[in-house]
Amino acid sequence: MVERLTKQVEKEERDLRILEAVIESGPIGIVRLAEETDVPEHKVRYSLRMLEDDGLIEPTPNGAIPADGLGERVDEMNDGIDDLVGRLEDLKDIF
């Protein structure tokens, strides 16, 4: 279980690196994102798809850009992360 959680956290960290690069340099394409983040192109594509599904970025003909309302979405994500941390701490106390 811990291994699965670790892999998921690593994927989320990668997604956040990609998001940060989009915020700083958007519009930005896959090749440049891969170069700037040292993430292979196939993983950049996957991260972009997940970030788009989460409403954090938008595709354009010139590359990915931050989505409208990004600040609110980030606030919601942070609230969700705080909730998850609390739940994990509760689990730790059980065992």
Side-chain angles (χ1 to χ4, degrees), residues 19-64:
L19 177 59
E20 184 177 41
V22 170
I23 290 168
E24 291 175 359
S25 303
I28 185 169
I30 292 168
V31 172
R32 191 159 146 228
L33 277 167
E35 292 169 355
E36 288 189 14
T37 61
D38 290 324
V39 174
E41 288 183 28
H42 70 281
K43 290 185 177 186
V44 168
R45 277 188 197 87
Y46 181 80
S47 289
L48 288 172
R49 191 171 328 124
M50 295 300 102
L51 292 167
E52 184 180 355
D53 288 347
D54 289 339
L56 300 171
I57 66 163
E58 296 176 4
T60 73
N62 296 320

Short mmCIF file of all heavy atoms in Angstrom, two decimals, residues 19-64:
data_model
loop_
_atom_site.label_atom_id
_atom_site.label_comp_id
_atom_site.label_asym_id
_atom_site.label_seq_id
_atom_site.Cartn_x
_atom_site.Cartn_y
_atom_site.Cartn_z
N LEU A 19 3.02 21.64 -14.42
CA LEU A 19 2.13 22.79 -14.23
C LEU A 19 2.92 24.06 -13.97
O LEU A 19 2.63 25.11 -14.53
CB LEU A 19 1.15 22.53 -13.08
CG LEU A 19 0.20 23.67 -12.73
CD1 LEU A 19 -0.67 24.07 -13.93
CD2 LEU A 19 -0.66 23.30 -11.53
N GLU A 20 3.93 23.97 -13.12
CA GLU A 20 4.76 25.14 -12.83
C GLU A 20 5.42 25.68 -14.10
O GLU A 20 5.44 26.89 -14.33
CB GLU A 20 5.82 24.77 -11.79
CG GLU A 20 6.68 25.94 -11.36
CD GLU A 20 7.66 25.55 -10.28
OE1 GLU A 20 8.25 24.45 -10.35
OE2 GLU A 20 7.83 26.35 -9.35
N ALA A 21 5.92 24.79 -14.95
CA ALA A 21 6.53 25.21 -16.20
C ALA A 21 5.51 25.87 -17.13
O ALA A 21 5.81 26.85 -17.81
CB ALA A 21 7.20 24.02 -16.90
N VAL A 22 4.28 25.34 -17.16
CA VAL A 22 3.23 25.94 -17.98
C VAL A 22 2.90 27.34 -17.46
O VAL A 22 2.76 28.29 -18.25
CB VAL A 22 1.96 25.05 -18.00
CG1 VAL A 22 0.79 25.78 -18.65
CG2 VAL A 22 2.24 23.74 -18.74
N ILE A 23 2.82 27.49 -16.15
CA ILE A 23 2.52 28.80 -15.57
C ILE A 23 3.63 29.80 -15.91
O ILE A 23 3.36 30.94 -16.28
CB ILE A 23 2.32 28.68 -14.05
CG1 ILE A 23 1.03 27.92 -13.75
CG2 ILE A 23 2.31 30.05 -13.38
CD1 ILE A 23 0.87 27.50 -12.29
N GLU A 24 4.87 29.35 -15.79
CA GLU A 24 6.01 30.25 -16.01
C GLU A 24 6.27 30.55 -17.48
O GLU A 24 6.70 31.65 -17.82
CB GLU A 24 7.27 29.66 -15.39
CG GLU A 24 7.24 29.62 -13.88
CD GLU A 24 8.45 28.93 -13.28
OE1 GLU A 24 9.32 28.45 -14.03
OE2 GLU A 24 8.52 28.85 -12.05
N SER A 25 6.00 29.57 -18.36
CA SER A 25 6.45 29.72 -19.75
C SER A 25 5.36 29.54 -20.79
O SER A 25 5.66 29.55 -21.99
CB SER A 25 7.55 28.68 -20.04
OG SER A 25 8.62 28.83 -19.15
N GLY A 26 4.11 29.36 -20.38
CA GLY A 26 3.05 29.09 -21.35
C GLY A 26 2.80 30.25 -22.27
O GLY A 26 3.04 31.39 -21.90
N PRO A 27 2.36 30.01 -23.49
CA PRO A 27 2.11 28.68 -24.04
C PRO A 27 3.42 27.93 -24.27
O PRO A 27 4.42 28.50 -24.69
CB PRO A 27 1.37 28.95 -25.34
CG PRO A 27 1.70 30.34 -25.72
CD PRO A 27 2.05 31.07 -24.45
N ILE A 28 3.36 26.64 -23.96
CA ILE A 28 4.55 25.80 -24.08
C ILE A 28 4.14 24.41 -24.55
O ILE A 28 3.13 23.86 -24.12
CB ILE A 28 5.31 25.75 -22.73
CG1 ILE A 28 6.61 24.98 -22.85
CG2 ILE A 28 4.43 25.22 -21.62
CD1 ILE A 28 7.53 25.13 -21.64
N GLY A 29 4.95 23.87 -25.47
CA GLY A 29 4.66 22.58 -26.05
C GLY A 29 5.36 21.43 -25.34
O GLY A 29 6.18 21.64 -24.43
N ILE A 30 5.07 20.25 -25.78
CA ILE A 30 5.57 19.02 -25.16
C ILE A 30 7.08 18.93 -25.19
O ILE A 30 7.72 18.63 -24.17
CB ILE A 30 4.92 17.79 -25.82
CG1 ILE A 30 3.44 17.75 -25.50
CG2 ILE A 30 5.60 16.49 -25.38
CD1 ILE A 30 2.64 16.76 -26.31
N VAL A 31 7.69 19.20 -26.33
CA VAL A 31 9.14 19.06 -26.44
C VAL A 31 9.85 20.02 -25.50
O VAL A 31 10.76 19.62 -24.76
CB VAL A 31 9.59 19.28 -27.91
CG1 VAL A 31 11.10 19.32 -28.01
CG2 VAL A 31 9.02 18.20 -28.81
N ARG A 32 9.42 21.26 -25.48
CA ARG A 32 10.06 22.24 -24.60
C ARG A 32 9.81 21.91 -23.12
O ARG A 32 10.70 22.06 -22.28
CB ARG A 32 9.57 23.64 -24.93
CG ARG A 32 10.39 24.70 -24.22
CD ARG A 32 10.26 26.05 -24.90
NE ARG A 32 10.32 27.07 -23.87
CZ ARG A 32 9.50 28.08 -23.74
NH1 ARG A 32 8.52 28.26 -24.62
NH2 ARG A 32 9.62 28.95 -22.78
N LEU A 33 8.61 21.44 -22.80
CA LEU A 33 8.33 21.02 -21.43
C LEU A 33 9.26 19.88 -21.01
O LEU A 33 9.79 19.87 -19.90
CB LEU A 33 6.88 20.57 -21.29
CG LEU A 33 5.86 21.67 -21.07
CD1 LEU A 33 4.45 21.13 -21.25
CD2 LEU A 33 6.02 22.29 -19.69
N ALA A 34 9.45 18.94 -21.90
CA ALA A 34 10.35 17.82 -21.59
C ALA A 34 11.77 18.32 -21.34
O ALA A 34 12.44 17.87 -20.40
CB ALA A 34 10.32 16.80 -22.73
N GLU A 35 12.22 19.25 -22.17
CA GLU A 35 13.56 19.80 -22.01
C GLU A 35 13.69 20.58 -20.69
O GLU A 35 14.68 20.43 -19.98
CB GLU A 35 13.91 20.72 -23.18
CG GLU A 35 14.08 19.99 -24.49
CD GLU A 35 14.16 20.92 -25.69
OE1 GLU A 35 13.99 22.16 -25.53
OE2 GLU A 35 14.39 20.41 -26.79
N GLU A 36 12.70 21.39 -20.37
CA GLU A 36 12.78 22.25 -19.19
C GLU A 36 12.61 21.48 -17.88
O GLU A 36 13.11 21.91 -16.85
CB GLU A 36 11.74 23.36 -19.27
CG GLU A 36 12.07 24.42 -20.28
CD GLU A 36 11.17 25.63 -20.21
OE1 GLU A 36 10.43 25.79 -19.21
OE2 GLU A 36 11.20 26.43 -21.16
N THR A 37 11.90 20.36 -17.92
CA THR A 37 11.60 19.63 -16.69
C THR A 37 12.38 18.33 -16.55
O THR A 37 12.29 17.67 -15.52
CB THR A 37 10.10 19.32 -16.60
OG1 THR A 37 9.74 18.49 -17.72
CG2 THR A 37 9.26 20.59 -16.57
N ASP A 38 13.11 17.94 -17.59
CA ASP A 38 13.81 16.65 -17.61
C ASP A 38 12.86 15.47 -17.42
O ASP A 38 13.19 14.48 -16.79
CB ASP A 38 14.92 16.60 -16.55
CG ASP A 38 16.09 17.51 -16.89
OD1 ASP A 38 16.41 17.63 -18.09
OD2 ASP A 38 16.66 18.10 -15.96
N VAL A 39 11.66 15.62 -17.98
CA VAL A 39 10.66 14.56 -17.95
C VAL A 39 10.51 14.05 -19.37
O VAL A 39 10.38 14.85 -20.30
CB VAL A 39 9.30 15.11 -17.41
CG1 VAL A 39 8.21 14.06 -17.52
CG2 VAL A 39 9.45 15.59 -15.97
N PRO A 40 10.53 12.73 -19.58
CA PRO A 40 10.37 12.20 -20.93
C PRO A 40 9.05 12.67 -21.57
O PRO A 40 8.05 12.86 -20.88
CB PRO A 40 10.35 10.68 -20.73
CG PRO A 40 10.99 10.45 -19.40
CD PRO A 40 10.69 11.67 -18.58
N GLU A 41 9.08 12.84 -22.89
CA GLU A 41 7.92 13.37 -23.60
C GLU A 41 6.65 12.57 -23.35
O GLU A 41 5.57 13.15 -23.20
CB GLU A 41 8.20 13.44 -25.11
CG GLU A 41 9.17 14.53 -25.47
CD GLU A 41 9.41 14.65 -26.97
OE1 GLU A 41 8.49 14.30 -27.75
OE2 GLU A 41 10.50 15.09 -27.35
N HIS A 42 6.73 11.24 -23.29
CA HIS A 42 5.51 10.44 -23.09
C HIS A 42 4.90 10.72 -21.71
O HIS A 42 3.69 10.72 -21.56
CB HIS A 42 5.77 8.95 -23.30
CG HIS A 42 6.61 8.29 -22.26
ND1 HIS A 42 7.98 8.41 -22.22
CD2 HIS A 42 6.27 7.51 -21.22
CE1 HIS A 42 8.44 7.72 -21.19
NE2 HIS A 42 7.43 7.16 -20.56
N LYS A 43 5.74 11.00 -20.72
CA LYS A 43 5.22 11.33 -19.40
C LYS A 43 4.69 12.76 -19.36
O LYS A 43 3.74 13.05 -18.64
CB LYS A 43 6.29 11.11 -18.33
CG LYS A 43 6.58 9.63 -18.12
CD LYS A 43 7.54 9.40 -16.99
CE LYS A 43 7.74 7.90 -16.81
NZ LYS A 43 8.55 7.60 -15.62
N VAL A 44 5.31 13.65 -20.13
CA VAL A 44 4.79 15.02 -20.24
C VAL A 44 3.39 14.98 -20.83
O VAL A 44 2.47 15.63 -20.32
CB VAL A 44 5.71 15.91 -21.10
CG1 VAL A 44 5.03 17.24 -21.44
CG2 VAL A 44 7.04 16.16 -20.39
N ARG A 45 3.19 14.19 -21.89
CA ARG A 45 1.86 14.07 -22.51
C ARG A 45 0.83 13.60 -21.49
O ARG A 45 -0.27 14.14 -21.41
CB ARG A 45 1.90 13.07 -23.68
CG ARG A 45 2.37 13.64 -24.96
CD ARG A 45 2.20 12.64 -26.11
NE ARG A 45 3.00 13.04 -27.23
CZ ARG A 45 4.28 12.72 -27.42
NH1 ARG A 45 4.89 11.94 -26.54
NH2 ARG A 45 4.94 13.15 -28.45
N TYR A 46 1.20 12.57 -20.73
CA TYR A 46 0.28 12.03 -19.72
C TYR A 46 -0.04 13.10 -18.68
O TYR A 46 -1.21 13.30 -18.32
CB TYR A 46 0.89 10.79 -19.06
CG TYR A 46 -0.01 10.18 -18.03
CD1 TYR A 46 -1.07 9.36 -18.40
CD2 TYR A 46 0.18 10.44 -16.68
CE1 TYR A 46 -1.92 8.81 -17.46
CE2 TYR A 46 -0.66 9.90 -15.72
CZ TYR A 46 -1.70 9.09 -16.11
OH TYR A 46 -2.53 8.55 -15.18
N SER A 47 0.98 13.79 -18.19
CA SER A 47 0.76 14.83 -17.17
C SER A 47 -0.12 15.95 -17.72
O SER A 47 -1.02 16.44 -17.02
CB SER A 47 2.10 15.41 -16.70
OG SER A 47 2.80 14.46 -15.92
N LEU A 48 0.11 16.35 -18.96
CA LEU A 48 -0.72 17.40 -19.56
C LEU A 48 -2.17 16.95 -19.64
O LEU A 48 -3.08 17.73 -19.36
CB LEU A 48 -0.20 17.76 -20.95
CG LEU A 48 1.09 18.55 -21.00
CD1 LEU A 48 1.57 18.68 -22.45
CD2 LEU A 48 0.94 19.92 -20.36
N ARG A 49 -2.39 15.70 -19.99
CA ARG A 49 -3.76 15.18 -20.07
C ARG A 49 -4.42 15.22 -18.69
O ARG A 49 -5.58 15.62 -18.55
CB ARG A 49 -3.75 13.75 -20.61
CG ARG A 49 -5.12 13.23 -20.96
CD ARG A 49 -5.10 11.89 -21.70
NE ARG A 49 -3.94 11.73 -22.54
CZ ARG A 49 -3.06 10.72 -22.45
NH1 ARG A 49 -3.24 9.76 -21.57
NH2 ARG A 49 -2.03 10.63 -23.25
N MET A 50 -3.68 14.81 -17.66
CA MET A 50 -4.23 14.82 -16.30
C MET A 50 -4.50 16.25 -15.82
O MET A 50 -5.54 16.53 -15.22
CB MET A 50 -3.27 14.13 -15.32
CG MET A 50 -3.05 12.65 -15.56
SD MET A 50 -4.56 11.66 -15.45
CE MET A 50 -4.96 11.40 -17.16
N LEU A 51 -3.59 17.16 -16.11
CA LEU A 51 -3.76 18.56 -15.71
C LEU A 51 -4.95 19.19 -16.43
O LEU A 51 -5.69 19.98 -15.85
CB LEU A 51 -2.48 19.35 -15.97
CG LEU A 51 -1.29 18.97 -15.10
CD1 LEU A 51 -0.01 19.58 -15.65
CD2 LEU A 51 -1.52 19.39 -13.65
N GLU A 52 -5.14 18.83 -17.70
CA GLU A 52 -6.29 19.34 -18.44
C GLU A 52 -7.59 18.76 -17.85
O GLU A 52 -8.56 19.49 -17.65
CB GLU A 52 -6.18 18.99 -19.92
CG GLU A 52 -7.30 19.56 -20.74
CD GLU A 52 -7.20 19.23 -22.22
OE1 GLU A 52 -6.20 18.62 -22.66
OE2 GLU A 52 -8.15 19.57 -22.94
N ASP A 53 -7.58 17.46 -17.56
CA ASP A 53 -8.77 16.83 -16.96
C ASP A 53 -9.11 17.47 -15.61
O ASP A 53 -10.28 17.55 -15.24
CB ASP A 53 -8.55 15.33 -16.76
CG ASP A 53 -8.57 14.55 -18.06
OD1 ASP A 53 -8.98 15.11 -19.11
OD2 ASP A 53 -8.14 13.37 -18.04
N ASP A 54 -8.10 17.92 -14.88
CA ASP A 54 -8.30 18.57 -13.59
C ASP A 54 -8.66 20.05 -13.72
O ASP A 54 -8.88 20.73 -12.72
CB ASP A 54 -7.05 18.43 -12.71
CG ASP A 54 -6.83 17.02 -12.22
OD1 ASP A 54 -7.80 16.23 -12.20
OD2 ASP A 54 -5.69 16.70 -11.84
N GLY A 55 -8.72 20.55 -14.95
CA GLY A 55 -9.09 21.94 -15.18
C GLY A 55 -8.00 22.94 -14.81
O GLY A 55 -8.29 24.11 -14.55
N LEU A 56 -6.73 22.49 -14.84
CA LEU A 56 -5.62 23.36 -14.45
C LEU A 56 -4.91 24.01 -15.63
O LEU A 56 -4.29 25.06 -15.49
CB LEU A 56 -4.61 22.58 -13.60
CG LEU A 56 -5.18 22.00 -12.30
CD1 LEU A 56 -4.17 21.07 -11.66
CD2 LEU A 56 -5.59 23.12 -11.36
N ILE A 57 -4.98 23.36 -16.78
CA ILE A 57 -4.38 23.91 -18.00
C ILE A 57 -5.37 23.79 -19.15
O ILE A 57 -6.35 23.05 -19.06
CB ILE A 57 -3.06 23.20 -18.38
CG1 ILE A 57 -3.34 21.74 -18.77
CG2 ILE A 57 -2.02 23.33 -17.28
CD1 ILE A 57 -2.20 21.10 -19.52
N GLU A 58 -5.08 24.53 -20.21
CA GLU A 58 -5.87 24.45 -21.43
C GLU A 58 -4.93 24.30 -22.61
O GLU A 58 -3.90 24.97 -22.66
CB GLU A 58 -6.70 25.73 -21.61
CG GLU A 58 -7.73 25.94 -20.52
CD GLU A 58 -8.47 27.26 -20.68
OE1 GLU A 58 -8.25 27.98 -21.66
OE2 GLU A 58 -9.28 27.57 -19.79
N PRO A 59 -5.27 23.43 -23.54
CA PRO A 59 -4.45 23.31 -24.74
C PRO A 59 -4.76 24.44 -25.71
O PRO A 59 -5.89 24.92 -25.78
CB PRO A 59 -4.86 21.96 -25.32
CG PRO A 59 -6.28 21.78 -24.86
CD PRO A 59 -6.36 22.47 -23.52
N THR A 60 -3.74 24.90 -26.42
CA THR A 60 -3.91 25.87 -27.50
C THR A 60 -3.07 25.39 -28.67
O THR A 60 -2.21 24.51 -28.50
CB THR A 60 -3.46 27.29 -27.09
OG1 THR A 60 -2.03 27.33 -27.03
CG2 THR A 60 -4.07 27.72 -25.77
N PRO A 61 -3.27 25.95 -29.84
CA PRO A 61 -2.42 25.56 -30.97
C PRO A 61 -0.93 25.84 -30.71
O PRO A 61 -0.06 25.21 -31.30
CB PRO A 61 -2.94 26.43 -32.12
CG PRO A 61 -4.34 26.75 -31.75
CD PRO A 61 -4.35 26.85 -30.26
N ASN A 62 -0.63 26.77 -29.81
CA ASN A 62 0.76 27.12 -29.52
C ASN A 62 1.32 26.40 -28.30
O ASN A 62 2.47 26.63 -27.93
CB ASN A 62 0.88 28.63 -29.30
CG ASN A 62 0.54 29.39 -30.56
OD1 ASN A 62 0.92 29.00 -31.65
ND2 ASN A 62 -0.18 30.48 -30.41
N GLY A 63 0.52 25.57 -27.66
CA GLY A 63 0.97 24.84 -26.48
C GLY A 63 0.03 25.06 -25.31
O GLY A 63 -0.96 25.78 -25.40
N ALA A 64 0.39 24.46 -24.18
CA ALA A 64 -0.45 24.52 -22.99
C ALA A 64 -0.34 25.89 -22.32
O ALA A 64 0.73 26.51 -22.30
CB ALA A 64 -0.03 23.44 -22.00
#
